């Protein structure tokens, strides 16, 4: 007999026969449910909630894996139960493999709508022999704003546009300037973008409803000119037109992103009248065409810290002809508007609690809120968590190992999209290290114990095979080497040192932290226990941690739909106290300690 299984929040329906487990149904329907153990019931990663309908009775494995509270709430292991009749299954974010989670990452903009762009639906009296006012005058009078001006870019098409629209138009004004004229049935959109050193996330938002109409990501095309901001500064400074090239590349990337977003939302770029772009200070400067030389040498001063706005057209960003770009304020050379945006979205600036908020990327920015102060720093965590500098490292793409468990001496892996392993992404590397520590294959300095059955010496390399050549997707072993572990030690040591120094500056101990907020794509997909086991995060009670997705993107969306949020971001940026880690007297000691396991 066939049953319907509705998977939420993905919204996919799969029809299955009796005895088909929820995990098998998910696989058949292309739903990326986690299953590190392959469905034998040892990893407990396939946790789902039965929201409606009935499934087969709880098994002994589920009795061990789930608490009484979990069971009372309807949680089950997907590999252990099958539907009895039609069911609705809720998949928690942590049980989804990476590609699905990418689509839902970050919270929406839950703020009162008060966009900079004001919208007027008007019916304009057409000219006649008795009414010879210009087209521009009659448009301005129709929105009852005597001081308004029409930007030159609109004037060239104004007369034909008004006649084509039969004198019924949706007029968009920004302050005293008319910036777009649309048909009345077209929605008015804004673009929010978080430009990361490696990845770019974009959101198309309806400025009248606040609804996010489309989300999409592209790689930052500047990556071909240097994988971190230091090498991009170097490129800009040492090549003729280097800075211009880097600006062109990122603008090209954003134009591509806008194309993708428009086709997802079935709209045109002429409907996008406003944009908010966040990024670290170097990315911000390169995007706006500002000099970056001074960011490459101490004391790393930005050309501008204040918020900045200009016409999108000025830099070649193709939106509505009169659209504007807003860049929120930076704090310092290595703490940029993206961190301000993250702090805004996560509420760090307003909380009365003691909170750490960190956004893990090629550069990791950290803020500590304590008794009204917000102290922040930046640590060069490098691209290792993006898979760079790791022998078999890769980005979070199909075939990347994203979860690793060692049970009974056997290594089990889960790959993105359940494809044969071809490498490992950041969360997989971190899991592998945590598990190798757990089984005693690594010492506290990250050295491999060569008498452990999982380690081997291959020419000069000490390594552990995660997936052998027979089972990998490219016919070679997928391994983690001693050198890979060292790369992760440098990255996690820098992050841990940043947290410890901020606590020292505030004069508090880790026990006083009420919350530990982890933002960013990698920060959201990493396994918390692995990050704690590897010593990257403090060993706090687990309910103090929050993994909140792309908070910089959420903050950008807030500023897109609310003038108040822009003002709040400027206020927050003024209040944030920057700490330069490298000059702190304890930094080196804390960093070296932070590299240990
Ligand atoms: S316990 Fe269900 S897939 Fe591992």
């Amino acid at each position: 007999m066939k049953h319907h299984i509705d998977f939420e929040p993905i919204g996919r329906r799969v029809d299955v026969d009796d005895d088909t487990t929820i995990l098998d149904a998910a696989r058949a329907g292309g739903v990326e449910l986690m299953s590190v153990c392959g469905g034998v019931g040892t990893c407990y990663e396939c946790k789902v909630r039965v929201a409606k309908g009935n499934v087969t009775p709880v098994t002994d494995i589920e009795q061990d894996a789930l608490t009484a509270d979990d069971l009372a709430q309807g949680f089950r292991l997907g590999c252990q139960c099958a539907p009895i009749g039609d069911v609705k299954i809720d998949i928690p974010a942590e049980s989804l493999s990476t590609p699905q989670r990418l689509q839902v990452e970050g919270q929406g903009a839950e703020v009162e709508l008060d966009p900079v762009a004001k919208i007027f639906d008007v019916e304009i009296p057409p000219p006649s022999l008795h009414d010879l006012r210009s087209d521009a005058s009659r448009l301005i009078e129709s929105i009852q704003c005597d001081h308004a001006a029409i930007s030159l870019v609109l004037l060239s098409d104004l007369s034909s546009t008004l006649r084509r629209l039969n004198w019924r138009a949706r007029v968009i004004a920004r302050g005293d300037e008319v910036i777009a004229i649309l048909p009345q049935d077209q929605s008015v959109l804004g673009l929010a973008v978080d430009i990361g050193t490696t990845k770019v996330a974009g959101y198309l938002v309806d400025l009248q409803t606040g609804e996010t109409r489309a989300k999409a990501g592209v790689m930052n095309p500047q990556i071909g000119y240097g994988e971190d901001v230091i090498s991009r500064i170097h490129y800009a400074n040492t090549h003729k037109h280097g800075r211009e090239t880097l600006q062109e590349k990122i603008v090209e990337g954003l134009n591509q992103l806008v194309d993708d977003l428009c086709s997802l939302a079935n709209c045109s770029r002429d409907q996008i009248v406003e944009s908010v772009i966040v990024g670290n200070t170097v990315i911000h400067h390169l995007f706006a065409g500002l000099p970056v030389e001074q960011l490459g040498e101490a004391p790393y001063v930005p050309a501008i810290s204040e918020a900045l706005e200009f016409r999108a057209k000025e830099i070649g960003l193709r939106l509505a002809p009169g659209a504007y770009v807003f860049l929120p304020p930076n704090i310092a050379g290595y703490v940029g508007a993206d961190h301000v945006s993250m702090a805004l979205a996560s509420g760090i600036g307003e909380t009365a609690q003691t909170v750490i908020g960190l956004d893990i990327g090629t550069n990791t920015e950290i803020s500590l809120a304590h008794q009204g102060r917000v102290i922040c720093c930046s640590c060069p965590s490098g691209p290792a968590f993006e898979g760079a500098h790791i022998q078999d490292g890769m980005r979070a793409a199909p075939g990347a190992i994203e979860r690793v468990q060692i049970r009974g001496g056997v290594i089990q892996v889960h790959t993105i999209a359940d494809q044969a392993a071809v490498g490992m992404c950041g969360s997989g590397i971190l899991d592998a290290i945590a598990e190798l520590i757990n089984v005693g294959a690594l010492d506290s300095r990250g050295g491999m114990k060569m008498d452990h059955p999982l380690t081997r010496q291959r020419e000069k390399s000490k390594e552990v095979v995660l997936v052998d050549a027979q089972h990998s997707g490219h016919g070679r072993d997928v391994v983690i080497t001693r050198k890979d572990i060292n790369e992760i030690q440098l990255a996690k040591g820098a992050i841990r040192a940043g947290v410890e120094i901020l606590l020292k500056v505030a004069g508090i101990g880790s026990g006083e932290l009420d919350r530990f907020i982890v933002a960013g794509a990698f920060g959201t997909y990493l396994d918390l226990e692995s990050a704690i086991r590897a010593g990257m995060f403090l060993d706090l009670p687990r309910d103090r941690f929050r993994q909140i997705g792309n908070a910089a993107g959420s903050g950008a969306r807030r500023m897109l739909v609310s003038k108040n949020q822009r003002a709040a971001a400027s206020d927050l940026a003024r209040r944030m106290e920057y700490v330069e880690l490298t000059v702190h007297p304890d930094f080196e000691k804390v960093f070296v300690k932070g590299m240990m396991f």
Side-chain angles (χ1 to χ4, degrees):
M1 190 179 165
K2 290 271 187 204
H3 309 297
H4 298 314
I5 303 183
D6 287 311
F7 286 104
E8 300 294 349
I10 295 152
R12 192 160 304 159
R13 171 168 286 191
V14 182
D15 288 335
V16 297
D17 293 319
D18 281 332
D19 298 334
T20 305
T21 65
I22 300 292
L23 175 65
D24 285 338
R27 284 173 172 162
V31 176
E32 291 286 330
L33 182 58
M34 281 285 203
S35 62
V36 177
C37 68
V40 296
T42 56
C43 72
Y44 309 160
E45 297 272 350
C46 58
K47 197 168 154 183
V48 296
R49 192 176 71 85
V50 181
K52 203 166 164 193
N54 294 310
V55 297
T56 48
V58 175
T59 65
D60 290 347
I61 288 173
E62 289 176 296
Q63 291 286 6
D64 289 343
L66 302 167
T67 63
D69 200 30
D70 279 343
L71 289 168
Q73 288 180 51
F75 281 104
R76 302 290 301 269
L77 294 181
C79 66
Q80 296 295 306
C81 61
I84 306 171
D86 297 344
V87 291
K88 188 187 270 186
I89 299 293
D90 260 350
I91 307 187
E94 62 274 16
S95 300
L96 273 172
S97 188
T98 303
Q100 295 287 356
R101 282 188 283 166
L102 266 173
Q103 289 164 17
V104 294
E105 65 173 330
Q107 298 150 351
E110 284 139 19
V111 290
E112 205 175 306
L113 294 180
D114 175 27
V116 177
K118 296 287 172 230
I119 299 158
F120 304 88
D121 280 340
V122 294
E123 215 160 307
I124 302 164
S128 70
L129 287 175
H130 306 291
D131 179 2
L132 297 173
R133 288 172 301 158
S134 69
D135 290 341
S137 301
R138 65 188 63 244
L139 176 78
I140 285 170
E141 279 169 34
S142 75
I143 61 171
Q144 296 174 350
C145 180
D146 294 346
H147 309 299
I150 302 181
S151 67
L152 192 59
V153 286
L154 288 193
L155 277 175
S156 57
D157 288 331
L158 177 69
S159 299
S160 58
T161 304
L162 290 178
R163 284 163 180 80
R164 180 169 47 80
L165 298 179
N166 211 12
W167 304 98
R168 290 161 62 90
R170 178 159 285 178
V171 179
I172 298 99
R174 195 179 193 274
D176 283 345
E177 184 185 351
V178 175
I179 56 166
I181 301 165
L182 296 172
Q184 287 191 348
D185 59 357
Q186 279 193 357
S187 40
V188 182
L189 303 173
L191 171 74
V193 182
D194 170 27
I195 308 180
T197 311
T198 309
K199 292 181 226 155
V200 182
Y203 307 83
L204 212 48
V205 179
D206 187 318
L207 295 181
Q208 289 169 292
T209 63
E211 178 204 353
T212 300
R213 293 268 305 270
K215 305 174 187 181
V218 292
M219 296 308 288
N220 185 333
Q222 293 175 331
I223 213 155
Y225 300 81
E227 64 187 11
D228 54 30
V229 288
I230 303 291
S231 38
R232 287 188 211 163
I233 292 174
H234 182 72
Y235 182 87
N237 294 346
T238 54
H239 289 74
K240 198 172 173 204
H241 307 305
R243 198 212 302 173
E244 290 81 356
T245 303
L246 290 173
Q247 184 186 30
E248 271 164 29
K249 288 291 157 196
I250 188 59
V251 171
E252 253 172 45
L254 258 59
N255 280 328
Q256 174 63 51
L257 181 68
V258 170
D259 276 345
D260 295 350
L261 288 165
C262 285
S263 61
L264 283 170
N266 196 19
C267 66
S268 106
R269 55 176 71 238
D270 286 346
Q271 292 170 253
I272 308 173
V273 301
E274 180 76 19
S275 62
V276 174
I277 317 274
V278 301
N280 64 50
T281 311
V282 177
I283 295 283
H284 165 286
H285 279 36
L286 290 172
F287 175 70
L290 300 175
V292 290
E293 288 89 338
Q294 75 293 349
L295 290 173
E297 37 192 68
Y300 315 109
V301 181
I304 182 168
S305 293
E306 291 73 18
L308 193 60
E309 58 184 30
F310 48 83
R311 256 184 224 291
K313 221 176 164 61
E314 279 181 54
I315 56 161
L317 183 59
R318 295 197 302 273
L319 307 177
Y324 272 82
V325 171
F326 175 79
L327 303 179
N330 296 307
I331 297 167
Y334 287 92
V335 181
D338 53 350
H339 192 60
V340 176
S341 190
M342 175 267 181
L344 181 77
S346 60
I348 284 178
E350 292 147 34
T351 181
Q353 293 188 316
T354 297
V355 179
I356 285 271
L358 83 182
D359 199 340
I360 304 176
T362 314
N363 220 57
T364 296
E365 297 90 14
I366 311 174
S367 275
L368 167 64
H370 177 61
Q371 294 183 341
R373 289 177 76 189
V374 183
I375 315 164
C376 61
C377 69
S378 157
C379 18
S381 39
F385 291 126
E386 303 281 357
H389 302 179
I390 301 291
Q391 182 167 314
D392 283 329
M394 63 183 284
R395 299 194 200 294
I401 296 171
E402 62 168 344
R403 285 279 179 269
V404 178
Q405 284 192 349
I406 304 176
R407 294 284 179 271
V410 177
I411 296 177
Q412 301 168 335
V413 302
H414 176 90
T415 59
I416 296 175
D418 259 333
Q419 292 189 9
V422 287
M424 53 190 156
C425 62
S427 56
I429 300 163
L430 200 59
D431 271 10
I433 290 175
E435 288 291 87
L436 290 172
I437 299 168
N438 283 341
V439 299
L442 295 185
D443 64 30
S444 64
R445 292 169 171 273
M448 284 190 177
K449 297 188 186 161
M450 296 319 289
D451 55 351
H452 192 279
L454 288 176
T455 59
R456 78 176 185 192
Q457 179 89 37
R458 226 348 113 88
E459 293 166 6
K460 284 190 182 155
S461 173
K462 293 186 167 81
E463 57 191 37
V464 170
V465 178
L466 297 181
V467 176
D468 64 29
Q470 278 182 326
H471 297 95
S472 74
H474 47 32
R476 284 182 281 122
D477 293 342
V478 179
V479 300
I480 182 164
T481 68
R482 172 66 185 95
K483 198 176 147 293
D484 297 339
I485 290 165
N486 192 49
E487 290 288 340
I488 298 298
Q489 282 179 286
L490 289 168
K492 70 111 183 169
I495 293 170
R496 182 63 181 258
V499 169
E500 300 278 359
I501 298 283
L502 290 186
L503 291 172
K504 277 176 188 279
V505 172
I508 57 173
S510 59
E512 289 179 60
L513 285 172
D514 299 305
R515 284 265 172 279
F516 194 105
I517 297 174
V518 188
F522 168 65
T524 302
Y525 306 144
L526 60 74
D527 183 77
L528 208 48
E529 292 301 330
S530 294
I532 293 167
R533 186 69 187 89
M536 183 161 90
F537 293 168
L538 298 163
D539 190 0
L540 301 172
R542 304 304 185 254
D543 60 357
R544 297 192 195 171
F545 287 91
R546 295 279 183 281
Q547 289 166 283
I548 61 169
N550 185 348
S554 303
R557 279 185 278 171
R558 284 169 175 252
M559 288 181 269
L560 190 58
V561 298
S562 161
K563 278 193 296 213
N564 276 337
Q565 289 290 299
R566 292 188 188 189
S570 290
D571 178 54
L572 183 56
R574 267 193 298 274
R575 285 172 43 217
M576 287 171 99
E577 302 167 42
Y578 176 68
V579 175
E580 176 58 48
L581 283 187
T582 50
V583 299
H584 193 282
D586 293 340
F587 176 70
E588 221 169 289
K589 196 172 67 195
V590 175
F591 175 54
V592 171
K593 195 166 157 225
M595 284 177 60
M596 300 294 168
F597 291 125

